[in-house]
Amino acid sequence: MASLEDDTGDRCVDIIKHGDTHFTFAECRRDPEDSHGWRRLSAADGPAFTTEFAAYSAALKAVPWLIE
């Protein structure tokens, strides 16, 4: 649904829609020296939310750099 990156482009939070039933979020990071790409720091199957906004709001509380 959405991918929110920090100013450096090294961290992001993905808002994920699971079918038509719920949303979750996952924090990810990427290391420039590593060609692997994005790595999840949190599971996308964490708490489920009924709206995209609810998942985003929860991510704001759980991921400190999102509000910096």
Side-chain angles (χ1 to χ4, degrees):
M1 292 297 308
S3 186
L4 312 162
E5 287 190 28
D6 71 354
D7 291 338
T8 67
D10 292 336
R11 294 193 179 262
C12 78
V13 168
D14 291 335
I15 306 296
I16 304 154
K17 184 176 183 180
H18 299 271
D20 289 332
T21 60
H22 67 281
F23 297 82
T24 60
F25 70 89
E27 183 181 8
C28 306
R29 97 164 185 260
R30 109 174 116 189
D31 298 315
E33 66 277 358
D34 183 354
S35 64
H36 180 270
W38 292 103
R39 296 180 189 271
R40 285 204 172 139
L41 300 177
S42 63
D45 61 350
F49 304 94
T50 57
T51 66
E52 180 179 359
F53 181 75
Y56 172 74
S57 296
L60 285 174
K61 293 176 185 173
V63 182
W65 62 260
L66 272 176
I67 56 172
E68 292 178 352

